[in-house]
Amino acid sequence: MDKENTIGFVSLGCPKALVDSEKILTRLRAEGYETAETYQDAGLVIVNTCGFIDAAEAESLEAIAEALEENGKVIVTGCLGAKKDKDGSDFIRNIHPKVLDVTGPDAVSEVMDAVHRYLPRPHEPFVDLIPPQGIKLTPKHYAYLKISEGCSHHCTFCIIPDLRGDLVSYPIGKVLDEAEQLFASGVKELLVISQDTGAYGLDTRFRTGFWGGRPVKTHVTQLTGALGKLARKYDAWVRLHYIYPYPHIDDIIPIMNEGGVLPYLDVPFQHAHPDVLKRMKRPASGERHLEQIQRWRKMCPDITIRSTFITGFPGETEEEFQYLLDFLKEAKIDRLGCFPYSPVEGAPANALPGAVPGEVREERRARLMQLQEDISFERLQGKIGKTLRVLVDETIRGGAAGRSSADAPEIDGVVYVRKPKGMRRKLLPGEFVNVTIEDADAHDLWGLFVPEESKNQTVGKMK
C-alpha cells in the first residue's frame, strides 16, 4: 500500500457527522486515494469530531491525541473543529498545536484542500471505483439521508447553532435524487436526519423546487410524500428522525398510513414541565405534548413515538421532575432515551441559577428509566401474537436479528427471528420477513419466521 495515496479516517459523533464522513470518503475515493486500516499504513489521518457534550468532546480530543501519537499527520474536522476559546483562538490548536489543519462541520471542500496540501492527489482519479450512491459507512441495506445543515433554535443547553450555524435546507431536487440513488443501489431503509427535520425549507420560505420535471415545495410534508412514493416503488422504508412537535407535523401522519414512510416519529421533547421548558427555551408544554401524541395515535394507531429527555436541568425541582414522571405515565412513550444534564462550555444554561448536583441528576435519570422500562415492557407485551414485518440486519445461528417499523438501528430494540424446523435457507441482511411475535421483554422481541404465503395479520407492512 502506497502511503502517499492512503488516508486514515476516524468518524465520531451523530448520524449527521457520519453523513459528512461519507461525503469526504466519497471525494477521497473519487480522487484515487485509498483508505488505511491502521495508523501506520496512512499518509495522514482525518478525524471527524463531535463536541455536543463534554463526554463527546473528551472522546474527540483523545482520538486526535492517539492519531498524532500513532501517525503524526492529522487533519481535524467536525463540530469540535468549529469551537473557539474565550479569546477567539482555535480550541483544537490550543490543545493539539501539531495538527495540520482544522475545519468545522459540513466542510468537504476545505478538508479536501487540506488533504491536497499535505498529500497531493494521485495523477488519475478513479471515478469508476465509486458506486453511484457514494461511499457509505452503514451496512448496505440502510443509509442516512441528511436534508439540511444547522439549526435556528437556540435551546439553552445546546451549542449546535454555534458549531453548525443556522438552518440551511438542501435543495429538494438534490435530496430526492440522492434518495432515489440510494434506493436503486439496494438500500431498504432510508433514515432522514438533520438537526431539525420538521423545519425543512423554513429558511428558504418553502421555495418551489423541481424533481422529475415537476414542481415540489421545499417543505417537510411534500418531501415526506415524495419519499414515501419512492419507498413504495422500491419496496423500502423511510424513517423520520429529529422532528420537533410543530403543528404541521400532523400533516405527515396520514402519509404514514399510505405506506413507505414508517409510522415512527423521533420527537425530542426534552421535558414536560412548562417552567423547565421555558428555561430550556423549548416550545410547548407537557399538556400540549399529550394532546399531540393522542392525536397522532388516533390518526395512526400503529405509530411508534421515540423521544429524549433531560433530567437535572438547572433549577429542576423534585416537583418539576415528578411532573415529568406523571407525563410519561400518561404519554406512554414507546422508545425513550434519557440523559442527565451535562454542562457544555458556551451553553447559556450554565449561567442559570439552581444547579442540580450531579448525583441528583443521575438518580433522577435512573428513576425515569426504571419507569420507562415498565412502560416499554407493557407496550411490547401487546405485540405478542401479532405478525410484524421485519428488516433483517444480521444472520445469526438459527435465524436472524432484525428490526420492525418501531426500531431504528442502534438506538431501539431488536427482533430475534427463529427459523422453523427444517428450514435451511439463510435469512439475509436487507431481506424483509414476516415474524409472528412469541415473547418480549422491555427492549426486544422474539418471534418465528412466517413464510409469505402463510402470513395473517401484519403490522407495519408496506402497501
Side-chain angles (χ1 to χ4, degrees), residues 113-232:
D113 288 343
V115 170
H116 296 156
R117 282 197 297 275
Y118 299 103
L119 208 64
R121 63 179 170 184
H123 295 297
E124 295 293 335
F126 299 99
V127 178
D128 57 321
L129 298 180
I130 301 296
Q133 72 274 19
I135 305 301
K136 294 295 170 187
L137 297 174
T138 51
K140 292 181 180 180
H141 61 283
Y142 70 80
Y144 293 100
L145 178 71
K146 188 161 71 166
I147 64 172
S148 66
E149 186 59 73
C151 180
S152 294
H153 290 286
H154 291 279
C155 304
T156 56
F157 56 81
C158 180
I159 59 171
I160 289 296
D162 296 331
L163 298 176
R164 289 185 171 261
D166 288 337
L167 175 71
V168 177
S169 299
Y170 297 163
I172 192 164
K174 289 186 177 180
V175 170
L176 290 170
D177 281 343
E178 182 180 353
E180 183 154 34
Q181 237 176 14
L182 289 166
F183 283 137
S185 74
V187 166
K188 286 299 180 181
E189 181 178 6
L190 207 54
L191 300 110
V192 179
I193 58 169
S194 67
Q195 296 298 146
D196 183 4
T197 299
Y200 178 68
L202 183 63
D203 56 310
T204 68
R205 298 184 179 180
F206 309 118
R207 177 190 300 130
T208 297
F210 293 90
W211 182 65
R214 295 184 178 182
V216 55
K217 280 191 175 182
T218 309
H219 190 283
V220 67
T221 305
Q222 281 74 16
L223 174 64
T224 302
L227 288 172
K229 290 179 182 178
L230 275 175
R232 292 193 295 274

Side-chain angles (χ1 to χ4, degrees), residues 386-388 417-420 423 427 432-437 447-456:
K386 294 184 177 180
T387 299
L388 308 182
V417 185
R418 178 172 60 88
K419 294 193 301 184
M423 179 178 172
L427 301 178
F432 284 113
V433 295
N434 295 300
V435 181
T436 298
I437 303 304
L448 177 66
F449 169 74
V450 181
E452 187 74 19
E453 60 272 14
S454 64
K455 70 178 191 290
N456 41 46

Side-chain angles (χ1 to χ4, degrees), residues 304 379-388 404 406 437 445:
T304 295
R379 294 190 72 78
L380 291 184
Q381 290 298 304
K383 296 189 177 185
I384 295 177
K386 294 184 177 180
T387 299
L388 308 182
S404 72
I437 303 304
L445 300 171

Side-chain angles (χ1 to χ4, degrees), residues 355-414:
V356 179
E359 61 271 19
V360 176
R361 287 180 249 153
E362 182 55 45
E363 183 266 342
R364 288 177 181 172
R365 186 204 69 82
R367 285 163 60 192
L368 188 152
M369 291 309 296
Q370 181 57 59
L371 170 63
Q372 178 59 29
E373 188 163 326
D374 295 339
I375 292 170
S376 179
F377 180 82
E378 177 187 343
R379 294 190 72 78
L380 291 184
Q381 290 298 304
K383 296 189 177 185
I384 295 177
K386 294 184 177 180
T387 299
L388 308 182
R389 195 179 197 212
V390 171
L391 178 60
V392 174
D393 283 329
E394 180 185 3
T395 301
I396 61 176
R397 185 180 178 86
R403 293 173 293 105
S404 72
S405 64
D407 308 304
E410 299 185 354
I411 59 173
D412 292 329
V414 173

